[in-house]
Amino acid sequence: MEKFITLTSTAIPLAIENIDTDQIIPARFLKATDRKGFGNNLFKDWRYNKDETINTDFALNNSDYSGSILVAGDNFGCGSSREHAAWALVDYGFKVIVSSFFADIFKGNALNNGLLPVQASKEFLSILIRTIENNPETQLVVNLETQTISIHNSEISEGFEIDFYKKTCLINGYDDIDFLLSKKETIEAFEAQKQY
Amino acid sequence: MKKTLFDKVWDAHIVDSIENGPQILYIDKHLIHEVTSPQAFAALEDRGIPVLRPNQIVATADHNTPTINQHLPIQDKQSKKQLEQLTTNCTKNGITLYELGHKYNGIVHVMAPELGITLPGMTIVCGDSHTSTHGAFGTIAFGIGTSQVAQVFASQCLLLTKPKSLRITVNGKLKKGVLPKDVILYIISKIGTNAGTGYFCEYAGDVFENMSMEGRMTVCNMSIEMGARGGMIAPDQTTFNYIQGKEFAPKGDAFEEKVAYWKTLPTDEGAQFDKEYHFDAQDIEPMVTYGTNPGMGIKISETIPANDNASFKKSLEYMGFEQGESLIDKSINYVFIGSCTNSRIEDFRIAADYIKGKQKAKNVTAWLVPGSKLVESQIIEEGLKAIFDDAGFQLRQPGCSACLAMNDDKIPQGEYCVSTSNRNFEGRQGQGARTILASPLVAAATAIAGKIVDITKDVEQLEFV
């Protein structure tokens, strides 16, 4: 897994609530047996019209916006457990998703793929969206070590929470398999004595 | 210290706790299917890591399988490849697979309980968010991503932070025609799609105590639709009776020993929950959804509420509905009875009971998709197929089908489908398709009338509801 320490980037605002993983990557694209190429179909039915032409109203198609940070509405990633949603976001080029609330399974999947979910307060999220919409050149600074998200060259900043263990994994590029394998003896001992 | 059902099962599975970090939780059963497992097998293979406990894994093909002509080669090349990959991976790693056509094949959350694979007090995971279904047995069961599937392959464990506890109590007697699906749709409509995020839920009260195992599975299945990773119901005599005699359930003395243990699992009197909700059974009526998330539900007799929120308006625009509108008399061309929420024998009995002697409306395409081969056989043996055939319904073969429309069972652009599945997200049942979630009874009544009808007016003569 790639390490994540800090990121400074412009951001794409997507002020829609309850974005479910079926929107992030529709089920018809889940037939692949590898992890590659899902970015092409990220938000497929919002990025493209019914006749396959580009939907110019959609934020990802707006040439004013760019960057590897997605700033999205409340309850991002709800619904299906498909990790393909995280793969699609990463493959498209996102490294950070900011929302005021994340669904549990998506959050875990994102962290397992080096994609940082930054949970901001509702107020801070509105400030970010307004600021980016007013000036798409706005740079955001995400610092995992200090657990802060800020608007570059401004006083506007907020702290965010992250599990200490997951933070360590991201900063060092470790994943859970390495850790669990190191615990093999403890696991086998548990199996030998389990009471239920 | 007084413990909840969840605490008891969780604590019994802690292998180790990391300081300032998650716990290592032991997983008893790992269920896998063709869509979320191939990349996990590949990840292990790339790193030269073996599958640690293949005999604790059970595989089925369900998400991407056709529901007609299952004996013929699969037409869609990608689907075919995905299913072949599952077979190869299971063979290579010594994992039991109920592939397409196998007598035990079915939707993962229908197949495992009916075979006695799911037992109280277990931890069960699967790369599918509706794994919460198995909580109906007093099991900690939840959906995981593919990276976690790989972790369980490698270590039979997961690294997890213990979720907070939530209890939803519903007491009283349900009105006639109100089914378990209505109960859970009602709860989600009241508390919203993220009220349960970060929590594991226990459903308590006499409504759930008096519910069949099929009904409890329907309720627990949709826990994820309010954001909860899982939902549980305390095991009781109904649970034990359901399990006894199932193919892989413990038998004889071993069964009695297990029952004695399972009886210790219910939440201790006075145990504390982090959050509680209470509802009255008498307030619940048959439900329908009108929007694009499962929380956007109303009683069938109510009108769509008013709301100025932009996402709410976007949702109504997608559905082609107006604020203040009633759904009664809306013309419906598609009806789907199936999915891991409502494809068990009880669901088809209820539908058949209503349909018996009636004819499907001409404008309606009605798909009945059993949850498993065993359910399919039961439908035939009990004479329900004859009722469906006579009424013009199409009984198809088992699979996830139009719940997520990965296979050819898609609802066309712009069409409404009254569906017994679990998600009404945009495009969930096909690009541009508009889903209205409901119970098997409301779905059956819609298919007969060709439009949504107020079912509360003609349920008196029914046997099963």
Side-chain angles (χ1 to χ4, degrees):
Chain A
M1 203 169 73
E2 253 184 72
K3 292 181 186 181
F4 187 106
I5 299 166
T6 60
L7 176 72
T8 303
S9 168
T10 49
I12 303 178
L14 192 55
I16 302 170
E17 293 171 12
N18 299 311
I19 296 177
D20 59 77
T21 53
D22 271 83
Q23 307 318 314
I24 300 172
I25 184 85
R28 62 185 187 280
F29 302 115
L30 306 186
K31 295 181 182 184
T33 51
D34 58 27
R35 291 177 187 232
K36 297 185 196 81
F38 288 104
N40 289 337
N41 296 316
L42 176 73
F43 293 118
K44 182 77 175 191
D45 295 337
W46 287 350
R47 270 164 72 198
Y48 297 92
N49 295 314
K50 286 159 200 161
D51 59 3
E52 294 281 308
T53 56
I54 289 173
N55 173 13
T56 49
D57 291 340
F58 187 58
L60 268 69
N61 294 329
N62 183 335
S63 56
D64 291 346
Y65 299 126
S66 63
S68 49
I69 301 174
L70 182 70
V71 182
D74 200 52
N75 199 24
F76 186 85
C78 58
S80 160
S81 62
R82 60 188 71 164
E83 195 161 313
H84 311 66
W87 299 337
L89 288 158
V90 170
D91 192 47
Y92 188 85
F94 289 114
K95 293 188 163 61
V96 171
I97 313 290
V98 185
S99 175
S100 47
F101 200 85
F102 289 94
D104 276 340
I105 305 180
F106 174 80
K107 193 179 188 176
N109 288 342
L111 289 165
N112 283 333
N113 286 279
L115 175 67
L116 180 66
V118 171
Q119 187 164 328
S121 65
K122 283 195 173 174
E123 297 71 30
F124 192 76
L125 185 75
S126 318
I127 294 170
L128 287 185
I129 289 173
R130 219 170 35 238
T131 312
I132 299 161
E133 283 177 348
N134 287 337
N135 176 15
E137 302 293 315
T138 305
Q139 299 256 337
L140 304 185
V141 184
V142 178
N143 187 326
L144 179 57
E145 271 175 336
T146 59
Q147 295 179 215
T148 51
I149 175 165
S150 332
I151 294 176
H152 196 45
N153 291 330
S154 83
E155 298 287 300
I156 304 166
S157 181
E158 191 175 73
F160 62 87
E161 297 286 317
I162 183 168
D163 179 89
F164 177 76
Y165 166 81
K166 274 295 170 197
K167 178 178 172 178
T168 315
C169 286
L170 280 172
I171 287 177
N172 296 292
Y174 299 156
D175 74 8
D176 290 354
I177 290 188
D178 299 325
F179 183 81
L180 286 166
L181 285 175
S182 75
K183 292 281 180 180
K184 198 168 170 218
E185 277 178 25
T186 317
I187 294 167
E188 283 173 347
F190 174 86
E191 286 179 319
Q193 59 77 49
K194 65 186 162 72
Q195 298 291 315
Y196 54 89
Chain B
M1 164 122 171
K2 310 236 188 271
K3 284 182 160 191
T4 65
L5 163 65
F6 177 76
D7 290 334
K8 293 180 193 182
V9 182
W10 179 277
D11 292 351
H13 288 81
I14 299 171
V15 172
D16 205 357
S17 297
I18 302 161
E19 217 182 311
N20 289 326
Q23 291 176 307
I24 302 178
L25 193 79
Y26 191 77
I27 303 302
D28 295 316
K29 284 278 181 237
H30 186 190
L31 307 172
I32 62 170
H33 61 84
E34 74 275 28
V35 177
T36 56
S37 69
Q39 292 89 346
F41 280 111
L44 253 64
E45 218 167 283
D46 285 351
R47 295 162 74 162
I49 304 167
V51 173
L52 184 67
R53 298 285 177 253
N55 60 356
Q56 285 170 243
I57 308 171
V58 180
T60 187
D62 58 1
H63 279 63
N64 197 3
T65 53
T67 57
I68 47 166
N69 294 324
Q70 290 186 347
H71 62 290
L72 297 177
I74 292 168
Q75 299 295 314
D76 182 308
K77 279 195 184 123
Q78 271 189 304
S79 302
K80 186 164 183 276
K81 190 180 163 213
Q82 204 172 44
L83 291 164
E84 284 169 354
Q85 190 68 52
L86 180 69
T87 307
T88 307
N89 287 333
C90 289
T91 310
K92 213 191 281 181
N93 292 287
I95 294 166
T96 300
L97 165 66
Y98 303 135
E99 59 199 332
L100 198 58
H102 190 284
K103 65 175 176 174
Y104 294 150
N105 175 258
I107 304 176
V108 58
H109 313 309
V110 176
M111 168 280 285
E114 74 184 2
L115 290 175
I117 293 169
T118 302
L119 298 175
M122 277 184 166
T123 49
I124 299 183
V125 294
C126 175
D128 185 283
S129 60
H130 293 112
T131 308
S132 58
T133 311
H134 308 263
F137 291 78
T139 304
I140 291 186
F142 54 91
I144 56 176
T146 297
S147 293
Q148 291 176 307
V149 171
Q151 289 160 27
V152 182
F153 281 163
S155 69
Q156 205 56 38
C157 287
L158 281 173
L159 282 166
L160 296 164
T161 304
K162 190 176 179 180
K164 288 183 278 187
S165 62
L166 158 70
R167 179 162 62 185
I168 297 177
T169 307
V170 188
N171 278 316
K173 193 175 179 319
L174 290 174
K175 292 179 186 168
K176 211 166 162 66
V178 176
L179 300 184
K181 181 64 162 288
D182 300 309
V183 175
I184 189 65
L185 282 174
Y186 176 82
I187 292 170
I188 302 169
S189 78
K190 292 292 171 197
I191 69 176
T193 52
N194 62 14
T197 308
Y199 294 84
F200 226 86
C201 176
E202 179 174 341
Y203 300 96
D206 47 21
V207 162
F208 304 110
E209 285 163 21
N210 295 329
M211 220 175 244
S212 68
M213 287 313 294
E214 285 87 350
R216 292 178 188 181
M217 284 190 256
T218 299
V219 170
C220 290
N221 172 277
M222 291 193 67
S223 303
I224 185 69
E225 310 311 336
M226 57 185 182
R229 201 76 184 262
M232 300 173 90
I233 293 174
D236 60 8
Q237 201 54 48
T238 305
T239 323
F240 312 145
N241 291 347
Y242 178 95
I243 295 167
Q244 191 162 28
K246 292 275 186 284
E247 186 68 29
F248 301 114
K251 305 278 175 346
D253 288 348
F255 178 75
E256 293 309 326
E257 232 174 81
K258 282 287 183 192
V259 169
Y261 169 61
W262 297 337
K263 283 183 174 169
T264 68
L265 294 175
T267 295
D268 297 332
E269 186 84 36
Q272 294 295 309
F273 287 80
D274 295 311
K275 186 151 88 170
E276 297 228 39
Y277 293 101
H278 294 268
F279 298 103
D280 183 346
Q282 277 298 306
D283 292 338
I284 310 175
E285 283 181 22
M287 299 287 294
V288 283
T289 61
Y290 57 86
T292 55
N293 72 57
M296 300 175 81
I298 47 173
K299 293 173 184 172
I300 202 162
S301 55
E302 287 177 337
T303 55
I304 296 173
N307 192 327
D308 259 348
N309 177 294
S311 297
F312 183 90
K313 286 181 176 165
K314 178 180 182 292
S315 179
L316 282 199
E317 194 183 324
Y318 179 86
M319 291 300 292
F321 291 149
E322 305 281 336
Q323 305 193 6
E325 198 179 20
S326 161
L327 295 197
I328 304 278
D329 288 338
K330 282 274 174 201
S331 178
I332 303 292
N333 294 334
Y334 288 83
V335 169
F336 171 62
I337 301 182
S339 86
C340 58
T341 313
N342 283 118
S343 66
R344 296 178 182 83
I345 188 63
E346 189 178 271
D347 301 314
F348 293 101
R349 284 182 193 140
I350 287 163
D353 185 37
Y354 184 88
I355 291 165
K356 199 173 184 173
K358 301 187 179 85
Q359 277 298 311
K360 175 186 75 66
K362 286 206 172 65
N363 61 309
V364 172
T365 301
W367 291 335
L368 306 173
V369 182
S372 68
K373 291 291 277 182
L374 289 178
V375 173
E376 183 187 31
S377 312
Q378 254 177 307
I379 289 174
I380 297 166
E381 278 161 26
E382 293 185 12
L384 310 184
K385 183 177 187 302
I387 295 171
F388 296 138
D389 287 347
D390 290 347
F393 286 71
Q394 193 185 4
L395 180 66
R396 298 169 75 96
Q397 291 170 299
C400 298
S401 181
C403 173
L404 84 166
M406 262 194 90
N407 67 358
D408 292 336
D409 305 349
K410 297 183 202 304
I411 309 304
Q413 178 82 41
E415 289 284 356
Y416 292 105
C417 177
V418 170
S419 174
T420 67
S421 54
N422 39 57
R423 288 186 176 137
N424 48 354
F425 297 154
E426 282 185 30
R428 173 80 180 181
Q429 296 195 288
Q431 277 178 276
R434 294 156 158 174
T435 303
I436 296 167
L437 300 176
S439 76
L441 179 63
V442 170
T446 305
I448 298 298
K451 58 184 186 178
I452 297 178
V453 289
D454 189 355
I455 188 72
T456 55
K457 301 208 167 87
D458 59 354
V459 291
E460 286 310 316
Q461 71 280 21
L462 294 174
E463 191 182 333
F464 286 111
V465 287

